[in-house]
Amino acid sequence: ASIHDLLSRNTTEAFLNGERLPLGDVFLAGGTGYLGSHVLHELILHHEGKLYCLVRPAKEQSGEDRLKATLQAYFGDDFTPLFGKRISVIEGDATDGDILQGFRAPAPGMTVINCAASVKHFAKGDAIERVNVGTVRNLTAWCEANGARLVHISTGRVADIIVAVMAESHIDNATIFEMLQNLQFSVEGDAILNTKHDALAACPLIFPQIGRG
């Protein structure tokens, strides 16, 4: 299959020798998380394009205030002067396809960076599935509709490593079984991109996996 051919060429050498593509304006999901906030900070400091951040509001805090508080906590600066100019907050949840459909790419050639993921060992109901599968499905559809490039951060390797370590540490089988739901849904989220590869041929895909040495 074409996806296997693509992955076989996903090497360090290919990365170092590959063509440098412009990021353009960036649409970031997961900007209030640890990884996402650090990606955002790097973009603020080293990228000149506009930054659009999808952020869930809290009960008593707007999405913009949540993002500012995250930046302040990690980096000692909430970058208030950039909001409304370089940084725009779209309030909503990446698991809600209707929210994404209501936001259209303001410029061609955008890059979507997906740092939204649940790396919990286990969670109630379908919470992990909604985040690790639903978000990927919705962002993939958005990229197709808006001709955007997608950078998807896979967390499947993280869950895989944690389960392996727990097995070696003689953790009880029930706990390992519960943790496997994270791995299952991380892999299902990755699988969406694999099956969508041909449809996304016009919208380049970058597919790093966190946790690989």
Side-chain angles (χ1 to χ4, degrees):
S2 59
I3 184 61
H4 297 299
D5 176 61
L6 174 69
L7 293 176
S8 71
R9 292 181 276 113
N10 184 26
T11 64
T12 301
E13 181 181 2
F15 173 77
L16 294 175
N17 297 325
E19 177 186 0
R20 184 181 292 272
L21 300 174
L23 277 179
D25 293 339
V26 173
F27 183 23
L28 175 67
T32 56
Y34 177 79
L35 175 63
S37 63
H38 283 73
V39 169
L40 176 59
H41 188 243
E42 287 296 309
L43 290 169
I44 290 172
L45 297 182
H46 304 296
H47 182 57
E48 297 181 355
K50 293 185 177 180
L51 309 172
Y52 298 86
C53 301
L54 183 65
V55 183
R56 282 183 291 107
K59 289 183 178 180
E60 299 181 357
Q61 194 176 35
S62 68
E64 181 172 315
D65 287 342
R66 278 194 69 209
L67 191 58
K68 288 179 179 178
T70 299
L71 290 169
Q72 181 67 45
Y74 280 124
F75 311 109
D77 189 343
D78 64 9
F79 297 95
T80 291
L82 298 183
F83 283 81
K85 296 178 181 178
R86 278 193 61 211
I87 303 174
S88 299
V89 173
I90 298 94
E91 287 201 344
D93 192 320
T95 64
D96 186 343
D98 291 337
I99 292 290
L100 287 174
Q101 289 176 12
F103 173 62
R104 308 299 297 177
M110 288 189 73
T111 299
V112 175
I113 302 179
N114 180 27
C115 296
S118 173
V119 292
K120 295 178 180 179
H121 296 173
F122 43 85
K124 283 185 64 176
D126 64 349
I128 294 177
E129 180 180 10
R130 285 188 297 103
V131 175
N132 290 351
V133 180
T135 293
V136 178
R137 182 179 292 113
N138 293 336
L139 289 176
T140 301
W142 192 91
C143 285
E144 287 185 83
N146 290 271
R149 179 186 299 113
L150 174 61
V151 178
H152 168 65
I153 312 298
S154 168
T155 59
R157 187 63 177 167
V158 174
D160 191 12
I161 292 171
I162 293 173
V163 171
V165 169
M166 290 183 71
E168 292 175 1
S169 302
H170 307 292
I171 304 298
D172 65 277
N173 290 337
T175 302
I176 294 177
F177 179 79
E178 289 175 324
M179 287 188 63
L180 283 173
Q181 68 173 309
N182 186 302
L183 176 59
Q184 171 193 348
F185 293 127
S186 294
V187 170
E188 285 188 22
D190 296 351
I192 289 172
L193 298 178
N194 293 347
T195 58
K196 282 280 190 177
H197 174 247
D198 291 336
L200 288 172
C203 311
L205 167 68
I206 301 173
F207 195 3
Q209 285 192 303
I210 301 300
R212 283 195 166 176

